[in-house]
Amino acid sequence: MAPTKGKGNGKRKGKCKGKGKGNSKKTKCKATSDLYLPKEIISNILSCLPVKTLLRFRCVCKKWRKLISKPNFIASHFRHSSSLQQCGSFILIHTRHAESFAHVLSMYNPPESIVELDNPFPRFLPSMSIVGPVSGIVCLFQPPWGDVVTLWNPAMRRSRRVPLLENIPLMGGGYCWVSIGLAFDYEENDLLILRIFCLGPDATDPNPVELYSTKNLRWKKLKNELVCHIVSCTSIAIIKGVPYWLAFATDEFGSHRVLVRFDVGREVFAKLPMLGTRERTKQNFVVIENCLGMLTWEERDNSYVDVWVMDDEDGWSKKCKVGPLFGFDRIVGCLRNGDILAENEYGVLLYDPVTTSVKAKLSVDYAIKNSYVILDYLESLVQIEGMTFVKK
């Protein structure tokens, strides 16, 4: 005789034992999240995922949302991002539109196509420069005076306008421009902004300097004793949270080029020797294996690029020669995997340093020639207090 289909005699759906329907669901959910995978393994798996995926996973449950927002997880995720992106880097691109002259920010994630990002910087301002990144944060500011400063996390699509001191030095009176740099204090876990009020080449007084702490959300004036003339509106490189500038210094032998480095722990500036090059030699400062590097070349149809690396003890040393490279006007950067980025009239070429072949051609629509600024970008979950979502 076939079994009677009655209450309690049919097959149970699910493998959980318990009294009542609600208890069965509760037990099944607990088994999925806790019994099958320990919390440490879940954390390790999540820390290897892209930021875009983690932002979606915050909606899975309250535990995951809380975990993804913890400082320890954010730091662990950034370390994983640094190691995973050694072979392929995100490339942050800043260009000017040929018709509207708008500042265009784009992201390239090989092998995907270039994606234009929502720009958090005020569109009505005529000038914008970019410096960074540090811990996934870049700084957008208005040159030449740095009177508008915005911190931005492109991966999180969040930004924050940084208020400035009211009693800033009088612009124009002996000052050439303001140079902006980012630094990171690992002991205090604090992202820093440096504003250097650059004096002219004949100045005999130190440059006034202001330092902004994103941990304390306030500016302070630094006591600077180094006399030099900084030549650009941004730092030339940031190595392990330490910014570097190119400058001119004068001594008994005359004026000569030097490097200026900011000591984060002591909050002082120091001079370093600069590599001597011929007058017609072009150069571009880059980051090579977490060291300050420099690419030098001469303008010709088939250029060889010399790769130099600076060591604190041994100074500058030549690492290798790459080339010949064809079909470019200027070098705009170098990725952490060694790929060299160079611009021509059609966009940016991505050269393999070993084979010297072109791996990819990057082009932003209607970009003005020689307007490309390239940043080797590492995405992160880092947020600064007061950051808000970037609107379209």
Side-chain angles (χ1 to χ4, degrees), residues 352-387:
D352 187 313
V354 178
T355 64
T356 69
S357 60
V358 177
K359 297 173 62 175
K361 297 180 181 180
L362 314 180
S363 178
V364 177
D365 293 340
Y366 302 105
I368 297 177
K369 184 180 179 181
N370 294 329
S371 70
Y372 281 85
V373 177
I374 304 293
L375 297 182
D376 193 356
Y377 181 73
L378 275 175
E379 64 173 12
S380 80
L381 294 162
V382 174
Q383 291 194 73
I384 307 301
E385 183 179 337
M387 274 188 164

Side-chain angles (χ1 to χ4, degrees), residues 82-127:
S82 302
S83 59
L84 291 173
Q85 292 184 28
Q86 290 294 333
C87 297
S89 301
F90 286 92
I91 301 175
L92 184 58
I93 307 171
H94 172 211
T95 56
R96 296 291 301 270
H97 195 279
E99 296 178 355
S100 66
F101 296 100
H103 295 271
V104 180
L105 296 168
S106 309
M107 187 73 76
Y108 174 60
N109 180 19
E112 299 176 5
S113 58
I114 296 175
V115 177
E116 183 176 345
L117 305 176
D118 296 324
N119 189 349
F121 202 72
R123 293 183 178 272
F124 60 84
L125 295 176
S127 301

Side-chain angles (χ1 to χ4, degrees), residues 169-384:
L170 181 64
M171 300 303 178
Y175 298 104
C176 296
W177 50 69
V178 169
S179 188
I180 302 288
L182 289 183
F184 197 86
D185 187 338
Y186 288 96
E187 291 189 4
E188 298 294 331
N189 193 32
D190 192 6
L191 177 68
L192 308 171
I193 305 175
L194 286 146
R195 295 180 77 217
I196 305 175
F197 295 83
C198 303
L199 296 167
D202 299 326
T204 56
D205 295 324
N207 301 308
V209 180
E210 295 175 353
L211 179 71
Y212 182 79
S213 164
T214 59
K215 185 177 181 179
N216 301 324
L217 298 179
R218 64 172 180 261
W219 291 92
K220 69 176 181 180
K221 295 182 179 181
L222 295 185
K223 185 179 180 181
N224 177 32
E225 299 179 350
L226 182 64
V227 178
C228 64
H229 173 60
I230 292 176
V231 301
S232 65
C233 288
T234 66
S235 58
I236 57 171
I238 305 170
I239 313 294
K240 298 179 182 178
V242 176
Y244 291 75
W245 283 266
L246 181 62
F248 279 90
T250 304
D251 54 22
E252 63 271 20
F253 301 105
S255 178
H256 53 93
R257 295 192 304 169
V258 296
L259 293 174
V260 174
R261 177 174 62 189
F262 180 67
D263 188 318
V264 177
R266 297 168 54 204
E267 294 186 348
V268 296
F269 292 89
K271 288 189 298 185
L272 299 172
M274 175 59 189
L275 177 67
T277 58
R278 289 185 290 184
E279 185 176 350
R280 297 179 62 182
T281 300
K282 303 294 182 178
Q283 63 186 31
N284 188 285
F285 291 94
V286 294
V287 180
I288 300 176
E289 297 176 354
N290 285 325
C291 294
L292 180 63
M294 189 168 69
L295 307 180
T296 61
W297 72 99
E298 294 184 0
E299 288 184 318
R300 58 181 65 174
D301 293 336
N302 54 340
S303 295
Y304 284 87
V305 179
D306 292 328
V307 181
W308 301 82
V309 176
M310 192 190 74
D311 183 84
D312 287 343
E313 296 181 359
D314 301 327
W316 289 96
S317 61
K318 187 174 177 180
K319 186 173 182 179
C320 62
K321 180 188 287 286
V322 178
L325 303 182
F326 299 90
F328 73 92
D329 298 327
R330 67 184 184 105
I331 292 177
V332 294
C334 178
L335 303 182
R336 68 178 58 85
N337 63 0
D339 289 348
I340 296 175
L341 295 139
E343 184 182 3
N344 64 10
E345 59 181 326
Y346 303 108
V348 173
L349 305 175
L350 195 65
Y351 288 98
D352 187 313
V354 178
T355 64
T356 69
S357 60
V358 177
K359 297 173 62 175
K361 297 180 181 180
L362 314 180
S363 178
V364 177
D365 293 340
Y366 302 105
I368 297 177
K369 184 180 179 181
N370 294 329
S371 70
Y372 281 85
V373 177
I374 304 293
L375 297 182
D376 193 356
Y377 181 73
L378 275 175
E379 64 173 12
S380 80
L381 294 162
V382 174
Q383 291 194 73
I384 307 301

